[in-house]
């Protein structure tokens, strides 16, 4: 009996260490556990060799602007650090100053400037320096200049009875494609094959009517999302824990079909075994954990819903300025820089 009790205790400790359990009325085991002495009988001090054996990164899906990858074997604090660095500390170039020479459109100057600031600019921020505090004039190493000059005119060839603005007027829609790069200083020599422009050509900036015009000059500078959201390089960066669904006993026939409907499509599949329909977990990763199964009295005690505590599924969606894999590697470099700065501080402060 003592051996059975010891094994049960160890099993429950294993579950607490490895799984976050989703119950009907709350979530269990959410606290951080990776420090020594948390569980009797476990050697939980951090060990580099053990970490390197357990840690891995798997790229699941890589498309033009989205990247989904698994990071296994880390603590929530590290996962969160990556996410927040991606959102707020990886630099990009964005419009910071707008010099308005003429704006007779119905969009006020400050609204126009704000809209221009939010347009993602395809320019590698690693080619530029940060602009010094208090510098009014930009230089070729820290500033990109764009011009937007456009005037709306009537179309004399338009049909008399037409009411379509696309036929009646020329240039009545101002798009991001109308922004043109104006090289500063020796930028034509610095970037001979550069193609600095907005990421998307079809972002609508303003609508004009005949006689109205916009003539502005823009200065793009390097910045980070902490200062303003327009500098954030990602549309979204999020992570979730890998779902883990266990059937505690066989679920058959009608119960199996009800169970299948409780989860996202593709999570539970129904197999035909000796003429019986039997449910089995096909792909827990697809589940969104609506916890629908807890509404069924007969099913809620047959399933254990959990998440794997150290398996993070990251999804990073870039705004198109840099590819998402570059963003992730830049975020890693920034975190390494933070760690190095912290170590330098520790070295430089004399101990009492």
């Amino acid at each position: 009996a003592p051996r059975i009790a010891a094994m049960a205790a160890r099993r429950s400790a294993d579950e607490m260490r490895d799984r976050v359990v989703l119950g009907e009325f709350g979530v269990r085991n959410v606290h951080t556990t990776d420090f020594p002495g948390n569980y009797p009988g476990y050697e939980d001090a951090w060990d580099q060799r053990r970490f390197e054996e357990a840690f891995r990164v798997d790229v699941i899906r890589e498309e033009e602007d989205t990247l989904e990858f698994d990071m296994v074997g880390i603590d929530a604090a590290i996962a969160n650090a990556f996410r927040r660095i991606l959102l707020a500390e990886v630099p990009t170039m964005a419009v910071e100053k707008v010099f308005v020479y003429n704006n007779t459109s119905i969009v006020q100057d400050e609204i126009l400037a704000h809209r221009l600031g939010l347009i993602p600019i395809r320019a590698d921020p690693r080619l530029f320096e940060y602009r010094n505090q208090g510098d009014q004039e930009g230089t070729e190493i820290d500033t990109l200049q764009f011009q937007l000059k456009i005037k709306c005119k009537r179309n004399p060839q338009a049909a008399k009875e037409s009411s379509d603005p696309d036929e009646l007027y020329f240039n009545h829609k101002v798009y991001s494609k109308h922004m043109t790069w104006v090289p500063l200083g020796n930028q034509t020599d610095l970037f001979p094959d550069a193609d600095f422009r907005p990421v998307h050509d079809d972002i609508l900036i303003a609508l004009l009517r005949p006689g109205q015009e916009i003539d502005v000059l823009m200065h793009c500078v390097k910045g980070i999302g902490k200062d303003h959201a327009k500098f954030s390089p990602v549309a979204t960066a999020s992570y979730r824990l890998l779902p883990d669904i266990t059937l505690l006993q066989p679920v058959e026939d009608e119960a199996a079909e009800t169970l299948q409907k409780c989860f996202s499509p593709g999570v539970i599949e129904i197999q035909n075994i000796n003429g019986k329909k039997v449910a089995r977990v096909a792909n827990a990763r697809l589940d969104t954990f609506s916890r629908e199964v807890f509404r069924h009295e007969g099913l809620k005690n047959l399933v254990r819903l959990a998440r794997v505590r150290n398996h993070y599924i990251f999804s990073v969606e870039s705004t198109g300025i840099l590819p998402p894999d570059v963003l992730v590697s830049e975020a890693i470099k920034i975190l390494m820089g933070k760690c190095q700065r912290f170590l330098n501080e520790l070295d430089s402060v004399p101990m009492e």
Side-chain angles (χ1 to χ4, degrees):
R3 261 190 70 193
I4 294 169
M7 278 169 64
R10 191 166 180 93
R11 251 204 319 274
S12 91
D14 277 339
E15 181 183 283
M16 284 168 75
R17 286 157 47 95
D18 302 337
R19 298 288 184 270
V20 173
V21 180
L22 287 88
E24 187 175 359
F25 301 110
V27 185
R28 300 200 307 276
N29 312 344
V30 290
H31 52 286
T32 293
T33 60
D34 68 337
F35 52 88
N38 199 347
Y39 300 108
Y42 284 96
E43 182 51 54
D44 270 337
W46 197 81
D47 173 69
Q48 182 163 347
R49 188 186 56 79
R50 206 166 52 215
F51 171 78
E52 284 174 9
E53 282 170 8
F55 178 74
R56 66 173 208 271
V57 175
D58 305 326
V59 175
I60 305 297
R61 189 167 55 91
E62 190 172 3
E63 287 159 24
E64 196 181 354
D65 283 338
T66 53
L67 173 68
E68 185 181 316
F69 64 94
D70 289 8
M71 210 179 256
V72 187
I74 53 167
D75 187 52
I78 307 288
N80 202 37
F82 280 129
R83 179 181 162 270
R84 296 184 62 151
I85 289 171
L86 280 167
L87 287 172
E89 294 185 59
V90 175
T92 62
M93 302 291 284
V95 173
E96 175 73 9
K97 277 203 162 70
V98 178
F99 303 93
V100 182
Y101 294 105
N102 196 359
N103 172 21
T104 51
S105 74
I106 59 164
V107 182
Q108 296 97 324
D109 293 0
E110 58 271 38
I111 304 284
L112 182 67
H114 183 249
R115 286 176 74 82
L116 292 168
L118 293 171
I119 293 172
I121 304 292
R122 180 168 284 156
D124 192 331
R126 294 169 293 183
L127 302 172
F128 297 90
E129 304 291 328
Y130 286 104
R131 192 190 274 197
N132 292 329
Q133 216 86 43
D135 275 10
Q136 289 307 307
E137 291 300 310
T139 62
E140 59 264 21
I141 58 162
D142 61 25
T143 305
L144 268 181
Q145 188 169 262
F146 283 89
Q147 188 182 35
L148 174 62
K149 192 170 184 178
I150 189 163
K151 185 170 185 176
C152 178
K153 294 190 173 81
R154 283 185 194 283
N155 176 10
Q157 264 81 54
K160 280 277 183 290
E161 62 281 349
S162 172
S163 61
D164 180 7
D166 289 334
E167 277 183 41
L168 291 172
Y169 316 123
F170 292 128
N171 288 341
H172 78 108
K173 285 182 173 170
V174 183
Y175 285 113
S176 49
K177 66 181 175 200
H178 296 125
M179 291 167 60
T180 51
W181 173 47
V182 181
L184 274 173
N186 64 346
Q187 282 184 339
T188 26
D189 306 330
L190 278 177
F191 313 113
D193 48 1
D195 179 22
F196 297 129
R197 57 190 179 82
V199 172
H200 305 285
D201 286 339
D202 56 351
I203 299 172
L204 186 65
I205 297 170
L207 291 173
L208 303 180
R209 284 295 177 261
Q212 295 182 350
E213 63 180 301
I214 289 177
D215 180 6
V216 297
L217 208 59
M218 293 159 265
H219 279 182
C220 295
V221 301
K222 184 173 174 174
I224 57 175
K226 248 203 290 204
D227 298 327
H228 194 292
K230 67 186 175 189
F231 292 114
S232 183
V234 291
T236 58
S238 61
Y239 60 79
R240 60 193 180 102
L241 289 170
L242 178 74
D244 173 50
I245 298 167
T246 317
L247 298 181
L248 303 174
Q249 59 189 69
V251 181
E252 297 172 347
D253 298 332
E254 268 177 50
E257 291 185 350
T258 314
L259 185 77
Q260 188 179 36
K261 291 192 183 102
C262 289
F263 292 94
S264 305
V267 176
I268 303 284
E269 71 172 18
I270 293 179
Q271 294 175 316
N272 201 325
I273 297 173
N274 304 334
K276 266 189 179 164
K277 292 177 179 170
V278 180
R280 112 185 160 87
V281 180
N283 187 355
R285 188 190 179 95
L286 300 173
D287 197 34
T288 54
F289 278 152
S290 59
R291 302 198 229 185
E292 182 71 16
V293 69
F294 291 126
R295 295 176 56 179
H296 297 275
E297 214 46 57
L299 291 177
K300 66 181 180 189
N301 298 321
L302 307 182
V303 184
R304 185 193 74 159
L305 302 186
R307 285 186 182 275
V308 181
R309 183 194 285 283
N310 65 357
H311 187 134
Y312 293 87
I313 301 172
F314 273 85
S315 90
V316 177
E317 192 180 318
S318 163
T319 53
I321 297 169
L322 289 171
D325 54 325
V326 174
L327 292 178
V328 173
S329 65
E330 287 299 301
I332 294 169
K333 284 180 198 161
I334 290 169
L335 187 58
M336 285 159 66
K338 283 173 179 283
C339 298
Q340 196 53 57
R341 199 157 62 245
F342 184 60
L343 292 172
N344 294 346
E345 286 290 321
L346 287 178
D347 290 343
S348 64
V349 175
M351 288 296 177
E352 289 299 324

